[in-house]
Amino acid sequence: MATHRLSFGALLQPDTSGNVFWQPASILDTNDLYPTNQVLIFKDTATLLKSAATLLVPTNYVGTAKIVVRYKTTVTTGNVLWTLDYRAIATGESGDPSTHQESLAGTATAVPATANLLADITFTLTSANIAANDTLYVSINRDGVGADTAAASLQLVDAYFEYSDA
């Protein structure tokens, strides 16, 4: 059994609030070695900000499903609060779901003590909810209400679907 990570960060689409948007990383970075790298910006607001993507669960999926959110920020103090919603949809099921299959509340986590260090937040999904070849709808959210005290934008660098094969 091996563990795999499938990147899907580039597929994420921002909500319509105007507080989530794609921009070149070089706008906030000091060093412009990779000026065309894009990050998904989640502004510092006291609201729930969302992004969403759809991906196909690989044919060799057997379990231990996780979503990993990789981000950075320019501040060195405060907590961030990411949350996640998802639904796995099999062929023959409605592609217009009315509810999330599972909503995962994150834990307020301290930002790295150095600006722009990459940090990962891992969400463990209920593996039995997901099967090979399902369409997986994922919403990655910054919950700016309450426990999120990082007084700056968060830059989502990538997101991964992690799973085990047979």
Side-chain angles (χ1 to χ4, degrees):
M1 182 181 310
T3 300
H4 303 276
R5 273 193 175 180
L6 175 66
S7 171
F8 70 92
L11 300 175
L12 288 165
Q13 296 298 310
D15 65 17
T16 58
S17 70
N19 293 309
V20 181
F21 52 89
W22 285 101
Q23 79 175 25
S26 60
I27 290 175
L28 295 173
D29 287 351
T30 303
N31 304 307
D32 291 337
L33 292 177
Y34 303 98
T36 59
N37 282 1
Q38 299 286 306
V39 291
L40 188 59
I41 300 294
F42 287 76
K43 300 278 288 186
D44 176 27
T45 67
T47 58
L48 180 66
L49 303 176
K50 297 182 174 193
S51 65
T54 303
L55 60 140
L56 182 67
V57 176
T59 58
N60 63 342
Y61 170 85
V62 296
T64 63
K66 297 177 182 174
I67 299 288
V68 180
V69 177
R70 180 162 290 170
Y71 76 96
K72 64 181 181 170
T73 185
T74 57
V75 296
T76 58
T77 61
N79 293 325
V80 298
L81 183 58
W82 293 100
T83 64
L84 184 123
D85 305 305
Y86 75 90
R87 175 164 288 284
I89 300 173
T91 300
E93 293 180 340
S94 175
D96 183 17
S98 59
T99 61
H100 302 298
Q101 192 161 21
E102 189 171 22
S103 294
L104 301 171
T107 301
T109 305
V111 298
T114 302
N116 293 316
L117 287 184
L118 296 181
D120 288 349
I121 302 295
T122 302
F123 293 93
T124 301
L125 285 56
T126 301
S127 295
N129 288 343
I130 303 164
N133 292 316
D134 279 356
T135 296
L136 189 62
Y137 291 176
V138 178
S139 177
I140 297 173
N141 320 301
R142 179 183 185 182
D143 192 349
V145 180
D148 188 317
T149 59
S153 296
L154 300 181
Q155 303 169 55
L156 189 143
V157 175
D158 208 346
Y160 308 97
F161 177 65
E162 184 176 293
Y163 67 96
S164 296
D165 67 7

